[in-house]
């Protein structure tokens, strides 16, 4: 994994400003398209930064740390099988990220999202909350969360103006269960312009073929190059 251009920004004392790792120094970010990365459960903001070397150099990449300590890393919200899970915990976490994005989006020509595993739940929840704010979204080996009728999720608006969405996964992924995949697939088909690709023998990870497809997707969708 290549060392990023700048260090981690420490979260503020009130914990509403997340720790973020940037691929470019602040002096080189203005006017660039922003790609925001959301890591998986028990990882941290360093986990996905190695992807930046495989993505279009035009992007500024920002990798965000989840707020809750979990094992050797962090989580965005408690897992559904854990006693502390609720849709409100998801909303609380995603609201904090949305607030940070409001502070930085003005420096960039567009904002796109990429989430891996639990991070895909964050990326899709941001899309569902702000359906017109993002150029595209990439979801890797992850899932969506049930909205449970919460007003935070503006799914009707997302369906009315569907965003380009890349979803990559392996059908043999043992972490994201079929019970999670079925509603995720149904939501993506109805609410996004979906590109779905399966990668045999990848399991719960990211491989080089998938990264090449993500690079092509971002190039065509955001940069407009073919």
């Amino acid at each position: 994994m290549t060392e990023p251009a700048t260090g981690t920004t420490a979260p503020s004392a009130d914990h509403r400003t997340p720790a973020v790792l940037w691929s470019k120094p602040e002096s080189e970010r203005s006017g660039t398209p922003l790609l925001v990365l959301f890591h998986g459960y028990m990882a941290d903001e360093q986990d996905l930064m190695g992807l930046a070397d495989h993505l279009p150099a035009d992007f500024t990449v920002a990798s965000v740390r989840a707020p809750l300590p979990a094992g050797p890393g962090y989580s965005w919200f408690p897992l559904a099988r854990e006693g502390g899970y609720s849709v409100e915990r998801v909303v609380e976490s995603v609201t904090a990220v949305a607030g940070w994005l409001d502070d930085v989006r003005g420096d960039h020509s567009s904002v796109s999202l990429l989430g891996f595993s639990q991070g895909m739940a964050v990326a899709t929840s941001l899309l569902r909350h702000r359906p017109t704010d993002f150029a595209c979204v990439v979801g890797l080996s992850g899932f969506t969360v049930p909205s449970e009728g919460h007003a935070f999720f503006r799914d009707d608006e997302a369906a009315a103006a569907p965003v380009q969405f890349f979803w990559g996964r392996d059908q043999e992924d043992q972490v994201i269960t079929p019970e999670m995949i079925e509603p995720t697939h149904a939501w993506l088909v109805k609410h996004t312009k979906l590109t779905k690709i399966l990668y045999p023998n990848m399991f719960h990870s990211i491989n080089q073929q998938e990264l090449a497809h993500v690079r092509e997707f971002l190039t065509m969708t955001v940069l407009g190059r073919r």
Side-chain angles (χ1 to χ4, degrees), residues 82-141:
E82 298 175 352
Y85 174 82
S86 70
V87 69
E88 289 291 349
R89 298 297 298 274
V90 177
V91 168
E92 178 183 352
S93 180
V94 176
T95 296
V97 176
W100 168 76
L101 275 173
D102 286 341
D103 291 338
V104 303
R105 69 168 54 252
D107 295 331
H108 299 276
S109 58
S110 66
V111 179
S112 301
L113 309 175
L114 184 155
F116 172 75
S117 194
Q118 192 185 53
M120 179 177 161
V122 176
T124 52
S125 295
L126 274 168
L127 174 63
R128 298 166 76 179
H129 181 54
R130 303 274 185 87
T132 62
D133 279 13
F134 306 109
C136 69
V137 181
V138 175
L140 307 179
S141 301

Side-chain angles (χ1 to χ4, degrees), residues 48-188:
L48 296 180
M49 278 305 291
L51 303 184
D53 291 340
H54 302 273
L55 301 176
D58 310 62
F59 283 86
T60 292
V61 178
S63 186
V64 184
R65 181 196 296 173
L68 305 175
Y74 299 86
S75 72
W76 296 100
F77 48 85
L79 298 180
R81 65 175 179 265
E82 298 175 352
Y85 174 82
S86 70
V87 69
E88 289 291 349
R89 298 297 298 274
V90 177
V91 168
E92 178 183 352
S93 180
V94 176
T95 296
V97 176
W100 168 76
L101 275 173
D102 286 341
D103 291 338
V104 303
R105 69 168 54 252
D107 295 331
H108 299 276
S109 58
S110 66
V111 179
S112 301
L113 309 175
L114 184 155
F116 172 75
S117 194
Q118 192 185 53
M120 179 177 161
V122 176
T124 52
S125 295
L126 274 168
L127 174 63
R128 298 166 76 179
H129 181 54
R130 303 274 185 87
T132 62
D133 279 13
F134 306 109
C136 69
V137 181
V138 175
L140 307 179
S141 301
F143 59 98
T144 61
V145 297
S147 69
E148 299 180 14
H150 199 292
F152 183 84
F153 299 91
R154 295 152 57 183
D155 286 350
D156 288 345
E157 294 177 40
V163 169
Q164 294 283 352
F165 197 107
F166 180 96
W167 187 27
R169 56 179 292 266
D170 182 357
Q171 285 185 304
E172 301 304 318
D173 187 333
Q174 299 298 308
V175 175
I176 310 302
T177 64
E179 291 76 16
M180 302 163 77
I181 291 298
E182 290 174 10
T184 298
H185 182 250
W187 188 90
L188 291 172

Side-chain angles (χ1 to χ4, degrees), residues 21-24 33-37 48-49 52 55-56 59-63:
L21 205 57
W22 294 88
S23 66
K24 299 180 189 292
L34 176 64
L35 178 65
V36 185
L37 309 184
L48 296 180
M49 278 305 291
L55 301 176
F59 283 86
T60 292
V61 178
S63 186

Side-chain angles (χ1 to χ4, degrees), residues 56 59 214-226:
F59 283 86
V214 171
R215 179 187 181 95
E216 181 181 7
F217 175 80
L218 291 171
T219 298
M220 294 174 60
T221 304
V222 180
L223 306 179
R225 296 200 298 261
R226 295 181 182 272

Side-chain angles (χ1 to χ4, degrees), residues 184-194:
T184 298
H185 182 250
W187 188 90
L188 291 172
V189 167
K190 182 176 180 180
H191 297 89
T192 72
K193 296 178 181 178
L194 179 61

